[in-house]
Amino acid sequence: MGFYLERVLPWITDVALSGKEFDRLRAKVCAGLSGEVLEVGFGSGRNVPHLPPDVARLRAVDPATAGRRLAAKRLAATSVPVEFVGLDGEALPLEDASVDHVLTTWTLCTIPDVDRALGEVRRVLRPGGALHFVEHGLSPDATVARWQKRLNPVQNLVFGGCHLNRPIDTLLERAGLVVSPLETFYARGPKPFAYLFEGVATKI
Ligand SMILES: C[S@@+](CC[C@H](N)C(=O)[O-])C[C@H]1O[C@@H](n2cnc3c(N)ncnc32)[C@H](O)[C@@H]1O
């Protein structure tokens, strides 16, 4: 990992994904998490303050380890034990059916082989366990989708491999997860960057 990806981007992301609207969405997506939880794409730990007390342990995976330093205050303030268990969502160092919930927020856009990572999510979830997610992705509006396609190469370059137009619901279903409930909507900001998928995907 180069200096930009390892040191600069985690800081940019930490700032870009902060504020009231993001906190409201983080609280919503973290509601209902319990037991053994895995977060894929831990980033700077911005979900940590929103973890319910029912979470027994958070195991975290992210290749950009600089995020852990940015998370220091949030880690010090939580009563939930947090363990950093790996670097890559595509190869999780966890047993089959070993977690109750998985959490991803604005991460499925960036993992290079997202199908493989979702296969891993399904593998480590216990039957009846669920992925809680809020992710940006492909807009159903043709004009916005065209802009997403146009802007993708720049987005990819600046934001460490982030794709604007991944069809999040389709990817989750393709991984064999049952997506319900699902809300889709535009958050504040330019539409190509702001089409969100928020919900729960369960391993039946
Ligand atoms: C846009 S940031 C979101 C960070 C955090 N989830 C949040 O909501 O603030 C995307 C995150 O995905 C992480 N990421 C990229 N490739 C990954 C991979 N293969 N496995 C796990 N995380 C990955 C990045 O390092 C980054 O922290």
Side-chain angles (χ1 to χ4, degrees), residues 88-181:
D88 188 0
E90 293 176 22
L92 294 171
L94 299 176
E95 299 285 315
D96 295 0
S98 58
V99 305
D100 299 293
H101 291 105
V102 178
L103 172 65
T104 69
T105 60
W106 294 279
T107 289
L108 298 180
C109 52
T110 304
I111 298 179
D113 188 340
V114 68
D115 286 318
R116 192 167 165 182
L118 287 172
E120 282 289 88
V121 166
R122 189 171 191 284
R123 179 182 69 76
V124 302
L125 273 173
R126 64 163 171 78
L131 164 68
H132 287 213
F133 61 91
V134 57
E135 296 288 342
H136 72 91
L138 181 63
S139 166
D141 176 337
T143 309
V144 178
R146 264 197 303 279
W147 273 105
Q148 289 181 318
K149 194 173 173 195
R150 264 182 220 138
L151 293 168
N152 232 3
V154 179
Q155 177 79 2
N156 218 279
L157 202 65
V158 177
F159 289 99
C162 173
H163 297 75
L164 291 171
N165 57 354
R166 283 187 169 165
I168 301 297
D169 49 351
T170 306
L171 294 174
L172 294 169
E173 282 160 10
R174 201 156 77 197
L177 300 169
V178 176
V179 184
S180 176

Side-chain angles (χ1 to χ4, degrees), residues 1 5-6 9-10 13-18 22 26 39-47 60-65 67 74 86-92 103-114 117 134-136 155 159-162:
M1 256 194 172
L5 289 180
E6 172 55 23
L9 188 56
T13 307
D14 179 57
V15 174
L17 300 183
S18 67
F22 283 101
R26 291 180 190 283
E39 181 167 14
V40 179
F42 177 80
S44 56
R46 286 213 169 262
N47 293 317
V61 170
D62 199 303
T65 55
R74 293 182 269 274
L87 301 176
D88 188 0
E90 293 176 22
L92 294 171
L103 172 65
T104 69
T105 60
W106 294 279
T107 289
L108 298 180
C109 52
T110 304
I111 298 179
D113 188 340
V114 68
V134 57
E135 296 288 342
H136 72 91
Q155 177 79 2
F159 289 99
C162 173

